[in-house]
Amino acid sequence: MIYLMIVSGMILILGAAVFGLVELQKDRANRSLSKVAKPVIKMDLLAPMDHGWISDHEIFFLREKNQGDFMCLKADIRDGKETLLEALSPYLRDKEDRSIPFEMQASPSGKRIGMLFGSKSDREIYIHDLKTNETLSIENKPVTFFMETWLPDESGWVVWIPEKTPSSEASSYYLSPTIIGPELSELPISEVRLPPPAGPDLFLDQKNLLMSFYKENKDFTFDLSLAIVELPGDKNPVFNQTQVFTSDFPMSGNFQFSHDEKGNRWIIGHRTRGTIWKIERKNTFPYVGINTRRYQLQLYKRGPNRTTTLDPDVEIQYPSHIKLNPSGTHFSFVYQGQIWVAAIDDMLPF
């Protein structure tokens, strides 16, 4: 009886462990990006890849109407319905020369679309209001664009021009802000000195600027940090960095991330340098292969300062142009000529 009870107990323990592993695998499969994401928009491969969220459920994108003439459409992710944004058509004509810069970008709230065309000596800059259908031409144009940040009221951008750093201050560098908008205005600072590399990402209000920092470690992992910079009247703002995450494997430098309208949620995609082997199935002989790269998706919440792994080993190789919608409930990415969309809640492990 004693031996029988011991054997029965071991069987129960093993059964519970197997059941737990099966359920864990089910949960892992259910929140895999390849299972959760759905293709919403079939992109025009001849058109620029520019697209973005203009509301919590609408994405703008481009298609070629005639050779060199493009049209801007919006698609509703709920039913796939596409609508032409006719007011933008006059600004998208005669854009066949791809060597000339072409950029379209939605504002953090999605209420406006910024457009930049032309060479350094002849730039066209417009801001289109999707509610009023009015398009403003921006006359005060810098020679080059660097680190664009939408103004708090989304009426234009701040362009951060890097200044030469003295050799005695090699651990920092200066950025000078230039306002690009319908009216000239001033920021409460003329220069800001920051540790490199840093990126001004989002104005939380007139004086508070949310910035991201990344650093490569000796083991080739990366640290990603955020900081709120309060812009005072001097050149050396005081701020504290908040650690977002450290990659758990050696990763390449070209990671991507996106934030919601308020900068409260961030989605981060990053991949390895190719040091980890993974056997995967193929459709052709020998039907198996070795993939030496991995890709991960992570979600960061700024309020509680919490990072959650959405998909630890993304099967889609590799999602590009990852973007969160304004409220941070859904994100989109480009894969195999289509724009795919996934809900954040469908990928959370709890």
Side-chain angles (χ1 to χ4, degrees), residues 14 78 128 130 135 142 159 174-175 180 197 206 217 223 242 244 266 274-275 308-309 342:
L14 289 174
R78 297 169 298 186
H128 178 76
L130 290 164
T135 304
V159 178
Y174 289 97
L175 294 179
I180 307 299
Q206 291 290 338
N217 302 315
D223 291 333
T242 300
V244 173
W266 295 67
T275 57
T308 304
T309 299

Side-chain angles (χ1 to χ4, degrees), residues 244 299-308 350:
V244 173
L299 176 72
Y300 172 72
K301 294 183 180 180
R302 186 165 60 91
N305 189 28
R306 184 172 66 242
T307 301
T308 304
F350 45 81

Side-chain angles (χ1 to χ4, degrees), residues 110 121 167 279 339:
S121 60
S167 57
I279 298 178
I339 298 177

Side-chain angles (χ1 to χ4, degrees), residues 49 51 256 295 318-323 332-335:
M49 301 290 286
H51 69 279
Q256 54 185 320
Y295 196 91
Y318 294 98
S320 64
H321 299 82
I322 295 177
K323 297 182 180 180
S332 61
F333 61 92
V334 176
Y335 177 64

Side-chain angles (χ1 to χ4, degrees), residues 160-181:
W160 302 89
I161 307 299
E163 302 293 337
K164 185 177 180 180
T165 304
S167 57
S168 61
E169 298 178 1
S171 61
S172 63
Y173 71 125
Y174 289 97
L175 294 179
S176 296
T178 300
I179 302 295
I180 307 299

Side-chain angles (χ1 to χ4, degrees), residues 43 48-49 55 61 85 121 157 159 168 186 196 205 224 245 255 274 299 302 311 326:
M43 303 191 74
M49 301 290 286
S55 74
F61 63 102
L85 299 176
S121 60
W157 301 279
V159 178
S168 61
E186 294 184 359
D205 52 43
L224 182 63
F245 86 104
F255 62 89
L299 176 72
R302 186 165 60 91
D311 192 338

